């Protein structure tokens, strides 16, 4: 037995849509509870203070970049130093790593009106003076270059700031490419999103003459080449060429499912941050729900990424540390 109700809800992009609220019987709720897994917390990476973690990304061996905000320009001044943290952005926008090798990365990050790229190299400096002589390693960044934004790039014609688009999620692909989510800053039925490649060769926005996205936010490339995007009330998955494969809209009891950060594990499963419900959801590569994930102290998980050992890095909204969890 179940009862259908309807409620008008505002999403994280300010888009109001009508969603079903399904009140299910106790047997179904208990069955879904059995599919909940508690991951162990392997370690934490200190942020030095409480921050609103907006996005994170990591390389195969756990090298990390962080985007966070607390309405201060010097939010990372007192952050504990860690060799694993390559880059920290205070713009409170989207961020990604493009891995060259263990000692060379490109950091891709959003500013207010552009997407920037900086190269990071892990270098060794030798010190002979006290108090601690010896070799010291640190990440060295070169100057930023603009990938998207500013003057209208011919590669992004029709998809730049002059056409009212705002850059959202960004990810680096296995082939060396870069994918970017865009939103047209409209609301309601006029709201429209796109996924483009920085080289201008790919634009994804329609399926059977209908818009694919309302307001795409976070994005990840799966190991099978699929493009996985968090959108309004749904995870939208296309193949590498932009053909729709499926939409995952949460379990029936998730009346306020609104996905945020997204990543994919070595088995091509899709892990999505369900911030409003204080958990992570895991679905397989074909959109079938597998299980939900919690861990000790979980609260408002917003950003996720994953390393080559399937350790999941979680950035929570209003937290003083990145949590690293594993099954």
């Amino acid at each position: 037995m179940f009862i259908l109700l309807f409620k008008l809800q505002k999403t994280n992009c300010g888009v109001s849509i009508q969603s079903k609220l399904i009140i299910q019987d106790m047997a179904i709720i208990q069955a879904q509870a059995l599919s909940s897994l508690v991951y162990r917390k392997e370690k934490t990476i200190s942020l030095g203070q409480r921050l609103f973690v907006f996005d994170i990304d990591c390389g195969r061996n756990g090298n990390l970049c962080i985007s966070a905000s607390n309405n201060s320009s010097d939010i990372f001044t007192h952050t504990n130093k860690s060799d694993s943290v390559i880059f920290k952005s205070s713009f409170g926008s989207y961020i990604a790593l493009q891995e060259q090798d263990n000692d060379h990365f490109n950091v891709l990050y959003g500013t207010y009106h552009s997407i920037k790229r900086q190269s990071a190299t892990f270098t060794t400096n030798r010190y002979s003076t006290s108090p601690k002589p010896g070799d010291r390693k640190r990440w060295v960044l070169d100057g930023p270059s603009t990938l998207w934004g500013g003057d209208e790039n011919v590669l992004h014609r029709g998809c730049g700031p002059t056409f009212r688009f705002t850059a959202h999620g960004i990810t680096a692909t296995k082939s060396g490419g870069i994918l970017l989510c865009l939103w047209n800053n409209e609301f309601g039925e006029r709201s429209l999103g796109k996924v483009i490649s920085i080289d201008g060769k790919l634009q994804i926005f329609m399926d059977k003459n209908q818009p694919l996205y309302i307001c795409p936010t976070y994005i990840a490339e799966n190991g099978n080449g699929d493009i996985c995007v968090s959108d309004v009330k749904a995870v939208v998955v296309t193949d590498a060429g932009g053909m729709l494969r499926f939409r995952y809209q949460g379990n029936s009891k998730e009346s306020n499912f609104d996905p945020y950060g997204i990543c994919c594990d070595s088995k091509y499963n899709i892990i999505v941050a369900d911030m409003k419900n204080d958990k992570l959801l895991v679905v397989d590569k074909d959109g079938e729900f597998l299980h939900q994930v919690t861990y000790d102290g979980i609260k408002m998980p917003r950003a996720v990424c994953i390393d080559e050992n399937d350790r999941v890095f979680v950035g929570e909204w209003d937290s003083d540390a990145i949590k690293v969890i594993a099954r």
Side-chain angles (χ1 to χ4, degrees):
M1 174 181 178
F2 59 86
I3 304 171
L4 290 181
L5 302 176
F6 293 90
K7 182 179 180 182
L8 195 66
Q9 295 184 326
K10 180 170 281 190
T11 70
N12 58 341
C13 284
V15 181
S16 295
I17 64 172
Q18 182 173 265
S19 61
K20 294 179 181 179
L21 303 184
I22 301 180
I23 303 175
Q24 299 175 301
D25 62 37
M26 187 59 67
I28 296 177
I29 294 174
Q30 289 175 340
Q32 290 175 329
L34 293 175
S35 62
S36 180
L37 298 181
V38 178
Y39 279 24
R40 70 182 186 278
K41 193 186 300 180
E42 286 204 344
K43 68 174 183 176
T44 60
I45 300 172
S46 175
L47 296 171
Q49 59 182 301
R50 298 196 73 84
L51 298 173
F52 301 109
V53 178
F54 193 87
D55 200 8
I56 58 176
D57 197 15
C58 58
R60 288 172 296 179
N61 62 355
N63 289 311
L64 188 68
C65 60
I66 304 167
S67 177
S69 176
N70 68 351
N71 299 318
S72 172
S73 60
D74 60 347
I75 63 171
F76 287 112
T77 300
H78 305 294
T79 302
N80 292 352
K81 294 182 179 180
S82 170
D83 288 343
S84 65
V85 179
I86 298 174
F87 184 85
K88 301 177 283 285
S89 170
S90 59
F91 285 104
S93 188
Y94 300 88
I95 199 165
L97 277 181
Q98 188 177 42
E99 191 167 9
Q100 311 295 314
D101 56 49
N102 286 340
D103 293 333
H104 300 86
F105 290 81
N106 289 326
V107 183
L108 318 168
Y109 62 96
T111 65
Y112 299 112
H113 302 293
S114 64
I115 295 293
K116 302 288 189 182
R117 174 171 59 194
Q118 286 187 254
S119 295
T121 304
F122 201 41
T123 60
T124 301
N125 294 322
R126 177 158 294 178
Y127 296 86
S128 57
T129 57
S130 60
K132 293 183 179 180
D135 292 343
R136 299 178 195 173
K137 293 187 175 182
R138 64 190 182 98
W139 290 101
V140 176
L141 295 163
D142 68 359
S145 59
T146 299
L147 294 177
W148 178 93
D151 294 333
E152 189 71 15
N153 189 317
V154 65
L155 294 175
H156 310 142
R157 186 161 291 162
C159 298
T162 56
F163 288 84
R164 292 180 54 89
F165 280 101
T166 296
H168 281 181
I170 187 168
T171 191
T173 67
K174 299 186 300 296
S175 63
I178 298 169
L179 299 175
L180 176 64
C181 292
L182 300 175
W183 176 51
N184 69 348
N185 284 284
E186 298 283 357
F187 296 93
E189 294 182 357
R190 297 173 62 88
S191 183
L192 176 70
K194 292 185 176 184
V195 170
I196 68 168
S197 60
I198 288 295
D199 62 11
K201 295 179 179 179
L202 182 68
Q203 283 194 34
I204 306 172
F205 60 98
M206 299 291 287
D207 175 65
K208 298 178 181 177
N209 295 320
Q210 296 295 319
L212 263 176
Y213 310 109
I214 299 174
C215 180
T217 51
Y218 296 83
I219 183 171
E221 183 193 41
N222 207 340
N224 62 358
D226 285 351
I227 300 169
C228 308
V229 174
S230 292
D231 195 18
V232 175
K233 301 293 182 183
V235 173
V236 181
V237 177
T238 67
D239 64 20
M243 295 293 293
L244 178 65
R245 293 201 60 239
F246 63 86
R247 295 176 186 272
Y248 175 74
Q249 297 177 294
N251 296 326
S252 56
K253 69 187 181 74
E254 256 76 68
S255 60
N256 61 342
F257 175 66
D258 201 10
Y260 285 81
I262 193 167
C263 63
C264 304
D265 67 17
S266 61
K267 296 180 179 178
Y268 308 155
N269 297 321
I270 302 165
I271 304 167
V272 59
D274 188 4
M275 186 175 78
K276 293 179 180 178
N277 293 297
D278 291 330
K279 59 192 170 189
L280 311 179
L281 297 182
V282 183
V283 300
D284 70 16
K285 61 182 177 60
D286 298 312
E288 292 296 322
F289 173 76
L290 296 178
H291 54 264
Q292 61 189 35
V293 173
T294 62
Y295 54 85
D296 182 40
I298 187 171
K299 186 176 181 181
M300 300 183 74
R302 184 182 180 110
V304 293
C305 61
I306 195 165
D307 67 13
E308 63 182 358
N309 296 313
D310 283 343
R311 298 187 307 167
V312 181
F313 294 66
V314 183
E316 297 175 334
W317 197 243
D318 190 16
S319 176
D320 60 1
I322 303 297
K323 292 14 180 243
V324 184
I325 61 173
R327 189 166 179 173

